[in-house]
Amino acid sequence: SWSYELENISKEYVAKCAYESNPNKKENIGENLFTTFNRFRPKAAVDYWHVEGDNFNLNKMKCSSGKDCRRYMQVVCAATESIGCASLLCDTIKGTSLVKSTLLVCYYSPG
């Protein structure tokens, strides 16, 4: 379900325009970030995170060696009870070379 508390935390962090994990987020909160210089579409972010599923072995319930599946797991995790997101058009996004781009931050609970 949608969490206004997580949305507000997302709004606070997205305002920093930084493409890096929030060092101050609570341990039990999951996080996904997405950037685009094209017209922002939330579905594009979810599709991007979902592609990591190609590296996830459902039989073994683990990610392929050397691959990253954390964003995919956050999207499909049955234990996730709530989500809150925020996006912002940033002049620059710290941690990238992107300018005039949109940053999306989503937090999940439990993470």
Side-chain angles (χ1 to χ4, degrees):
S1 66
W2 189 259
S3 166
Y4 290 103
E5 178 184 0
L6 293 175
E7 177 186 9
N8 289 334
I9 296 168
S10 298
K11 284 179 181 178
E12 288 176 21
Y13 192 68
V14 79
K16 298 179 185 299
C17 289
Y19 190 73
E20 57 194 23
S21 185
N22 182 347
N24 299 317
K25 75 173 184 59
K26 295 178 182 175
E27 200 171 299
N28 64 334
I29 301 295
E31 175 185 66
N32 279 356
L33 307 173
F34 177 77
T35 60
T36 183
F37 57 87
N38 295 318
R39 184 175 63 92
F40 175 65
R41 293 175 299 118
K43 183 181 181 312
V46 175
D47 288 347
Y48 175 77
W49 298 328
H50 199 268
V51 165
E52 288 182 358
D54 293 345
N55 300 319
F56 191 77
N57 184 322
L58 288 172
N59 293 325
K60 296 181 180 179
M61 293 303 291
K62 65 185 231 178
C63 197
S64 300
S65 180
K67 300 292 182 178
D68 190 357
C69 299
R70 291 174 293 177
R71 290 169 291 269
Y72 168 76
M73 290 299 299
Q74 211 52 82
V75 171
V76 301
C77 183
T80 297
E81 295 175 2
S82 56
I83 181 173
C85 301
S87 64
L88 183 67
L89 179 60
C90 300
D91 289 331
T92 60
I93 298 178
K94 296 173 199 140
T96 75
S97 59
L98 296 173
V99 296
K100 300 289 184 197
S101 300
T102 300
L103 175 63
L104 172 70
V105 176
C106 290
Y107 291 115
Y108 302 81
S109 180

